[in-house]
Amino acid sequence: MESLKNKWKNLSLRNFFILTVFFSIGLAVLVSALIIAACASFRHWLLPDSNAAYLTIQKTLENGDVTTASYLLEYGQDMSSLPLIEIEYDTMAVQEKVEKTEYSIQKLEKSFDMLSPKRKLAYRICGITMVAAPAVIAFFCIIFCSIYFYRKKLKPPLELLSHATSQIAGQNLDFVLDYDCNDEMGMLCHSFEKMRRALYENNKTMWEMLEERRIMQASVAHDLRNPIAIIQGYTEYLEAALENGTLNHKKLCRIIQNLNQSAKRLQQYTESIRILNCLEEISVQKISVSAVEMAENIEEDMKLLAQQNKILLQIKNNLPERNIQIDTTILYRILENIMNNAFRYAKKEICLEFSLSENMLCIIITDDGEGFSAEIQKKKEKMLFSSRKDGHMGIGLAVSRRLCKKHGGSIELYNTTGACVKINLSV
């Protein structure tokens, strides 16, 4: 029963409409036939039998009085209910009081003319009903068919689409358009839901980009204050010292050196902004590569860098023998940024681990340094990670995070024995 109900619900609009029309036609024919049969039966009951006849008995008495009696005789009727017909013979008189008896039979040729006015009216109404009823029933069946088809197949999805349209017009994409039917309107609702999800994801991505850009601008504006304030302070000091004549050569050389360092910091900030803006133009181009061979090539390159930085590098390769789809250029750029930070802060050892789970390449980089500071962990979702201790802005983390998002992945930062960076890439 449930299966039949689902099949009926998932019929296409054309098939549903055809079946509804056939059902309405069948219903109209059935009801019309019943009404016509009932009217015909009632009309037959109103009319006497066309095979019937009237028996008229006329008696003339001795005193000259005449009596007449009429009896309706129907075909096949029991004649015992009729009065006895008396027959006269020449040799005997049957009755003394009756001088003469006459019998006559009249067949009913036009039964309608024999009806009373009320029966004639009822007969005519039945005839009109037999003609008009099929047309009226057909009209109401068409109305029923239209209303049923609209309520079952058109009204629910149209209301959902109208509500969804008003939600989108109100810039609200956080809803779900769910219409559990596989007909044409269901396909339209499913397509509309796909469009809504695409708009939602695009808006979400755009909002994240705008939020990252806002954070970047705020971070850069904050970091620019220090070198600008330093340059401004030194220029004011030089003006005052030149007027007073208190500026010596040693002091001047130190001021020039500090100004040069501040200028270099400003150059780093502007270069960082340029790099982040260029990331928007990078497109991901995945190619099929062997997972094991890729990890081996990365291991060779990273070991050379580890030797140069006098760091022990441990590799854990848990990748299976299969091909993966990955943009190796983006992967190397992410690893170089993260590994440079690890070489900078590691004391003696760095561990690099590869694994693959559900079409996601996971690379975990762990060092034995002091780990991420509370400030970096608190602001780990932001674009820039300024570090005033060594002058590094942490632009590598920002670049790596953006590249991971472009590759359908993410970066996670946390502390274990030291700093730990988990890279996830969709393959």
Side-chain angles (χ1 to χ4, degrees):
M1 184 66 181
E2 188 68 24
S3 176
L4 183 62
K5 184 178 179 181
N6 291 333
K7 288 182 179 179
W8 175 255
K9 182 179 180 181
N10 294 323
L11 281 175
S12 64
L13 295 180
R14 181 177 64 87
N15 293 338
F16 189 90
F17 181 76
I18 291 174
L19 290 177
T20 305
V21 170
F22 281 166
F23 175 79
S24 301
I25 292 175
L27 182 63
V29 170
L30 177 62
V31 175
S32 299
L34 292 175
I35 292 177
I36 291 174
C39 290
S41 177
F42 184 68
R43 292 181 74 182
H44 181 73
W45 179 80
L46 288 175
L47 290 175
D49 190 359
S50 59
N51 292 322
Y54 275 105
L55 170 64
T56 303
I57 302 176
Q58 183 176 350
K59 296 180 181 181
T60 303
L61 304 179
E62 293 178 350
N63 57 8
D65 294 337
V66 177
T67 60
T68 302
S70 296
Y71 301 94
L72 179 62
L73 303 179
E74 296 183 357
Y75 180 77
Q77 179 181 354
D78 184 8
M79 305 300 290
S80 61
S81 61
L82 296 177
L84 180 64
I85 300 176
E86 300 172 353
I87 304 176
E88 299 182 12
Y89 297 94
D90 294 337
T91 57
M92 54 183 282
V94 179
Q95 297 210 0
E96 297 179 354
K97 293 184 180 181
V98 178
E99 182 177 338
K100 184 179 180 181
T101 303
E102 296 180 355
Y103 300 92
S104 63
I105 296 177
Q106 181 183 4
K107 187 178 180 181
L108 300 179
E109 296 293 342
K110 296 182 179 180
S111 300
F112 179 76
D113 295 337
M114 307 299 296
L115 295 177
S116 65
K118 290 183 178 180
R119 286 178 174 258
K120 287 182 179 180
L121 177 61
Y123 187 90
R124 291 191 179 98
I125 291 175
C126 285
I128 295 172
T129 302
M130 292 172 67
V131 175
V136 174
I137 292 173
F139 173 77
F140 280 105
C141 283
I142 292 173
I143 298 298
F144 165 78
C145 176
S146 303
I147 294 175
Y148 183 78
F149 179 76
Y150 172 75
R151 287 183 176 273
K152 288 293 183 180
K153 283 293 186 180
L154 298 181
K155 184 179 179 181
L158 289 178
E159 287 181 346
L160 288 175
L161 290 172
S162 177
H163 175 72
T165 304
S166 62
Q167 290 291 322
I168 293 176
Q171 298 182 355
N172 177 27
L173 295 173
D174 191 13
F175 67 93
V176 177
L177 180 60
D178 186 16
Y179 181 62
D180 186 18
C181 188
N182 295 325
D183 59 5
E184 290 85 347
M185 296 302 294
M187 295 173 63
L188 177 61
C189 290
H190 296 333
S191 300
F192 199 95
E193 172 62 14
K194 289 182 181 178
M195 181 190 71
R196 181 204 66 81
R197 286 200 299 265
L199 288 174
Y200 179 80
E201 294 298 329
N202 290 340
N203 282 8
K204 183 179 179 181
T205 303
M206 184 66 68
W207 175 258
E208 289 177 352
M209 289 174 58
L210 292 175
E211 183 67 12
E212 288 179 351
R213 190 175 294 276
R214 184 190 66 81
I215 293 172
M216 180 188 70
Q217 292 173 351
S219 179
V220 171
H222 179 272
D223 291 333
L224 287 175
R225 292 178 183 175
N226 289 336
I228 292 175
I230 291 173
I231 293 173
Q232 185 178 1
Y234 278 125
T235 55
E236 292 176 354
Y237 174 79
L238 288 174
E239 289 179 357
L242 288 173
E243 290 180 0
N244 298 330
T246 59
L247 185 63
N248 55 42
H249 179 73
K250 184 178 179 181
K251 183 69 172 178
L252 180 60
C253 290
R254 191 159 61 91
I255 291 175
I256 292 174
Q257 185 180 3
N258 291 337
L259 287 174
N260 188 31
Q261 290 178 354
S262 298
K264 288 181 178 180
R265 290 180 64 186
L266 288 176
Q267 185 179 4
Q268 288 179 354
Y269 292 140
T270 55
E271 181 65 16
S272 300
I273 296 173
R274 187 191 66 79
I275 293 174
L276 290 173
N277 289 333
C278 290
L279 291 178
E280 304 299 331
E281 302 175 0
I282 296 177
S283 60
V284 178
Q285 297 180 353
K286 296 182 179 181
I287 58 174
S288 179
V289 298
S290 171
V292 175
E293 292 181 2
M294 179 200 68
E296 291 175 352
N297 294 333
I298 293 175
E299 180 180 353
E300 293 178 1
D301 296 338
M302 293 300 115
K303 281 186 175 180
L304 289 176
L305 294 176
Q307 290 177 2
Q308 295 176 2
N309 289 275
K310 298 180 180 180
I311 297 292
L312 176 62
L313 180 62
Q314 293 185 0
I315 304 293
K316 296 180 181 179
N317 188 356
N318 301 320
L319 295 176
E321 289 281 354
R322 54 163 288 191
N323 286 356
I324 59 176
Q325 299 291 328
I326 194 167
D327 189 326
T328 54
T329 302
I330 290 180
L331 173 61
Y332 270 89
R333 188 169 180 181
I334 294 172
L335 284 175
E336 287 172 359
N337 288 329
I338 303 301
M339 291 299 293
N340 285 335
N341 287 337
F343 289 139
R344 184 179 300 118
Y345 296 106
K347 296 178 180 178
K348 296 180 180 180
E349 185 180 355
I350 294 176
C351 180
L352 184 61
E353 182 179 356
F354 296 89
S355 62
L356 187 66
S357 175
E358 297 182 357
N359 295 327
M360 290 294 291
L361 175 64
C362 178
I363 304 175
I364 299 177
I365 302 170
T366 307
D367 62 52
D368 58 351
E370 296 180 358
F372 294 110
S373 65
E375 180 185 2
I376 289 179
Q377 292 189 49
K378 182 179 179 181
K379 300 179 180 180
K380 61 183 179 181
E381 296 297 330
K382 294 190 177 183
M383 289 291 298
L384 302 179
F385 302 90
S386 298
S387 175
R388 294 178 178 83
K389 293 181 179 179
D390 54 7
H392 291 283
M393 293 182 63
I395 189 67
L397 286 174
V399 170
S400 299
R401 186 183 300 280
R402 182 70 65 82
L403 291 176
C404 281
K405 286 186 177 180
K406 280 185 170 289
H407 208 287
S410 62
I411 283 184
E412 301 176 22
L413 306 179
Y414 52 92
N415 289 330
T416 53
T417 55
C420 185
V421 179
K422 184 178 181 180
I423 302 170
N424 297 302
L425 296 177
S426 173
V427 293

